[in-house]
Amino acid sequence: MALHQIIEKHKVSILGQEITYTNKFIKYNKSTSYGFKPQSSLISHASRLFKYEFEHAYLSPALYINPQGEKFIIPGFKKVHPETTLADIEIIRSVKKVEAPVEKNTWKFESSSEPGHFYTVRKSGLKYTCNCPGVWRSKDRRCKHIKQVENDNK
């Protein structure tokens, strides 16, 4: 089962004038191969396997169907083809920006939920501290920022 992106160029004659137009659409097919019957107005035809792109640092996409029967990728509510499955979605993990140490034993991380807001990790002796809320949520008081600094310093 696959989605195909189709691009067709047509040339038609309307009232003695030749008009060229392009159709772009997504078509569902039960296999990865795609066959078609050309129309007489068709100049060119292109087909490729199509995947929706979903970019997020840590969340995976899900599909949601509203009461009207429309399908969306969530989070983000991007409307998709009705036959879309999770296999038709390419997940792109964004890379977090990590600034070089400002001071010795100090690192800054940009917040994934609040771009432009930075959290600071400090090392004092063998202990790391961070000012993000994740420190209080974790059982061992080691947030993802502390774990990343520990892994980078191994």
Side-chain angles (χ1 to χ4, degrees), residues 1 23 31 51 68 74 78 119:
M1 297 184 196
N23 274 346
S31 72
K51 287 194 177 261
Q68 292 77 30
I74 56 172
K78 181 178 183 178
Y119 296 117

Side-chain angles (χ1 to χ4, degrees), residues 96 98 107-112 118-121 128-135 142-152:
K96 290 199 177 259
V98 178
W107 297 263
K108 288 196 176 243
F109 291 85
E110 187 172 14
S111 169
S112 56
F118 289 86
Y119 296 117
T120 306
V121 175
Y128 291 93
T129 59
C130 183
N131 62 343
C132 79
V135 170
R142 291 171 55 236
C143 65
K144 62 184 178 181
H145 310 115
I146 291 173
K147 290 176 184 175
Q148 186 170 345
V149 169
E150 288 174 343
N151 287 337
D152 291 347

Side-chain angles (χ1 to χ4, degrees), residues 1-116:
M1 297 184 196
L3 293 175
H4 296 270
Q5 182 178 36
I6 314 297
I7 303 169
E8 297 179 337
K9 280 192 178 177
H10 294 268
K11 186 184 270 187
V12 293
S13 181
I14 299 175
L15 299 174
Q17 283 190 322
E18 284 194 351
I19 298 172
T20 303
Y21 67 93
T22 303
N23 274 346
K24 292 183 179 182
F25 57 94
I26 295 173
K27 183 175 183 177
Y28 172 77
N29 201 352
K30 290 186 178 181
S31 72
T32 55
S33 62
Y34 172 72
F36 74 101
K37 184 177 178 183
Q39 300 171 352
S40 61
S41 63
L42 187 67
I43 298 172
S44 68
H45 179 91
S47 170
R48 70 176 180 95
L49 286 176
F50 179 79
K51 287 194 177 261
Y52 290 98
E53 291 182 349
F54 176 81
E55 184 174 350
H56 200 279
Y58 54 88
L59 289 178
S60 294
L63 291 171
Y64 166 75
I65 302 173
N66 69 9
Q68 292 77 30
E70 299 170 315
K71 195 177 269 191
F72 297 88
I73 297 175
I74 56 172
F77 280 90
K78 181 178 183 178
K79 190 173 181 181
V80 295
H81 189 276
E83 300 291 333
T84 301
T85 65
L86 288 176
D88 298 321
I89 302 171
E90 181 178 344
I91 302 170
I92 300 169
R93 298 289 180 211
S94 54
V95 179
K96 290 199 177 259
K97 282 196 255 176
V98 178
E99 290 188 5
V102 179
E103 306 166 10
K104 189 176 180 185
N105 296 327
T106 304
W107 297 263
K108 288 196 176 243
F109 291 85
E110 187 172 14
S111 169
S112 56
S113 60
E114 277 184 72

